Amino acid sequence: MLFKSPSINSQIFINCKVRVWTQFTASISSLQVVWRKDHKLDQAIENDKQWRLCARVVKEVLNEPGQVIPLRYLEKRRERLRLSIKIKTFLSQNPGLFDTYLDRIKPKSEPVDFLRASDGLRRFLEEEKRIIHENEPLIVAKLCKLLMISKDKVISADKLVHVKREFGFPNDFLVNLVPKFPDYFRLSGSPGEGKSFLELVSWNPEFAKSVIERRAEEEERATGIRVRPSFNVKLPHGFFLRKEMREWIRDWMELDYISPYADVSHLDQASPEMEKRTVGVFHELLSLSLFKRVPVPILGKFREEYRFSNAFSSVFTRHSGIFYLSLKGGIETAMLREAYKDDELIDQDPLVEIKDRFLDLLAEGHRESAEQSRLQKEAVQKDMEMMSMRIGESDGHEFGEQL
């Protein structure tokens, strides 16, 4: 069987191994790539801004006892919710999420406005449960993979709870999902107390294949040519690298791919192989995430479990053909370039359907609000026409009496 190298390697010549390794270790800490803004990938984050804001407000209400809250209480939490407008303005801009009704905070207090989930929102919550149930095997696989990549095959449960939104885990996954799969997971301690851990019980070889390895296998089956697992490298238009950086990338690409699921306990943290493995881990983590992007501070929480260096975020700029480091919204977010075409995801995670259904809910609310507004305008117009007719009839009657 023939050996097929990735397309980028057609432009790379193989150097002496000694020079490659020496140059790599000597220059990795000193080489820098100037950060360049990618407007289209930044727009992908901007596109999700409004629905994420709505989701935060919904979560805040649903977390209240009885899933209801006085409107004025929610108004006081605007800063924490990063809401720049008043709650009443938010409700008018996003109709269909909540119903407003009068109730008393205390038995003898005056009635005030309360918020509760609308019928449309409750239907969405049922739809969300259905989507999660249908994709339970995918969620289990993701959770296993996160544990399998980790150094000791164990991760703090609280850390996993913190990243549930990024990977599409349901809110109650530790309580309702984990106990259903004792062959895969063991939960120790009490979640929420900072001393609880989720441990991998058994290793599934099918889960131990990265996206890059699966892609190489698929291409090999399709072509009959052996394909070397490798990263897709595509620098953005107009991006320029200095000569020494181009040479560094050329040599780095010649190193063998190291699976994020491989045991690397024997590797030195500053070795070229460890850099290759680190890039592979980030590639896999971003591939497992819902939107193929994760805020850097969240990735940093797993620095010890995944053996990231203190300066791990420099990987995203050093490998700008694989990743993009967005600064949108004042938060560093690592994005996987190959997952996007302009500002749209190429292949959507099945769990992204939850977001699509939420957007449908928002759109339905806007349609109903627009229809109500139209009917109100028509009613007002009709009343004005009737009033005009009555005034005309009255004036005609008075004119007749004068004659």
Side-chain angles (χ1 to χ4, degrees), residues 57-102:
V57 177
V58 167
K59 180 182 177 182
E60 190 73 17
V61 175
L62 295 181
N63 282 342
E64 288 293 304
Q67 297 186 332
V68 300
I69 186 173
L71 189 146
R72 70 188 191 192
Y73 284 12
L74 194 59
E75 180 70 32
K76 294 178 180 179
R77 303 178 189 179
R78 280 171 48 202
E79 184 176 354
R80 178 158 62 83
L81 292 169
R82 302 194 295 279
L83 190 60
S84 60
I85 56 177
K86 291 184 177 296
I87 290 296
K88 286 187 176 180
T89 305
F90 170 83
L91 294 175
S92 66
Q93 292 180 354
N94 300 279
L97 290 177
F98 303 105
D99 291 334
T100 305
Y101 68 102
L102 291 174

Side-chain angles (χ1 to χ4, degrees), residues 144-159:
C144 283
K145 283 171 171 284
L146 292 182
L147 292 170
M148 291 165 71
I149 295 173
S150 67
K151 181 175 58 176
D152 299 315
K153 314 303 177 264
V154 59
I155 297 178
S156 163
D158 290 340
K159 290 184 180 181

Side-chain angles (χ1 to χ4, degrees), residues 82-139:
R82 302 194 295 279
L83 190 60
S84 60
I85 56 177
K86 291 184 177 296
I87 290 296
K88 286 187 176 180
T89 305
F90 170 83
L91 294 175
S92 66
Q93 292 180 354
N94 300 279
L97 290 177
F98 303 105
D99 291 334
T100 305
Y101 68 102
L102 291 174
D103 202 353
R104 290 178 170 85
I105 298 176
K106 295 180 179 180
K108 295 183 179 180
S109 64
E110 291 294 320
V112 296
D113 285 335
F114 271 70
L115 293 181
R116 64 188 172 201
S118 67
D119 291 340
L121 178 55
R122 294 199 179 280
R123 286 194 296 271
F124 160 76
L125 294 174
E126 290 302 314
E127 188 74 0
E128 181 183 38
K129 290 179 183 178
R130 177 193 64 79
I131 296 170
I132 289 174
H133 177 72
E134 290 179 355
N135 289 281
E136 192 173 81
L138 171 63
I139 296 171

Side-chain angles (χ1 to χ4, degrees), residues 249 297 343 363:
I249 290 177
D343 61 343

Side-chain angles (χ1 to χ4, degrees), residues 124-317:
F124 160 76
L125 294 174
E126 290 302 314
E127 188 74 0
E128 181 183 38
K129 290 179 183 178
R130 177 193 64 79
I131 296 170
I132 289 174
H133 177 72
E134 290 179 355
N135 289 281
E136 192 173 81
L138 171 63
I139 296 171
V140 170
K142 285 188 180 188
L143 197 52
C144 283
K145 283 171 171 284
L146 292 182
L147 292 170
M148 291 165 71
I149 295 173
S150 67
K151 181 175 58 176
D152 299 315
K153 314 303 177 264
V154 59
I155 297 178
S156 163
D158 290 340
K159 290 184 180 181
L160 290 171
V161 169
H162 195 73
V163 301
K164 63 185 178 183
R165 187 181 72 174
E166 271 65 38
F167 294 95
F169 301 154
N171 292 329
D172 59 356
F173 76 98
L174 287 177
V175 176
N176 290 330
L177 185 139
V178 165
K180 290 167 62 176
F181 297 92
D183 291 342
Y184 282 137
F185 310 117
R186 180 184 297 115
L187 183 64
S188 60
S190 301
E193 298 180 359
K195 297 181 180 179
S196 177
F197 297 90
L198 188 64
E199 179 183 355
L200 184 73
V201 174
S202 61
W203 183 275
N204 187 333
E206 279 302 306
F207 294 160
K209 291 181 181 179
S210 69
V211 170
I212 287 178
E213 290 170 315
R214 289 184 183 277
R215 186 166 62 203
E217 289 180 356
E218 290 172 2
E219 188 175 345
E220 184 173 322
R221 284 195 296 270
T223 63
I225 301 173
R226 185 183 174 194
V227 178
R228 178 184 179 187
S230 62
F231 300 104
N232 282 341
V233 178
K234 184 179 180 181
L235 290 170
H237 181 71
F239 196 92
F240 176 77
L241 290 176
R242 298 194 308 271
K243 179 182 177 181
E244 59 268 29
M245 193 64 204
R246 292 199 303 271
E247 292 178 348
W248 183 88
I249 290 177
R250 175 196 63 198
D251 294 340
W252 184 83
M253 288 295 293
E254 282 302 317
L255 298 174
D256 289 336
Y257 172 79
I258 298 179
S259 171
Y261 302 99
D263 179 13
V264 292
S265 57
H266 61 287
L267 294 181
D268 184 271
Q269 192 70 28
S271 67
E273 295 94 343
M274 198 61 181
E275 171 84 357
K276 195 84 172 188
R277 187 260 179 182
T278 298
V279 172
V281 169
F282 283 131
H283 186 284
E284 187 73 355
L285 292 177
L286 295 180
S287 296
L288 292 173
S289 69
L290 277 183
F291 301 103
K292 317 309 175 194
R293 62 177 189 258
V294 178
V296 171
I298 288 181
L299 291 171
K301 292 181 179 294
F302 297 89
R303 188 171 57 82
E304 182 179 347
E305 288 86 348
Y306 295 144
R307 297 186 67 187
F308 298 151
S309 68
N310 291 330
F312 74 91
S313 62
S314 62
V315 167
F316 303 123
T317 51

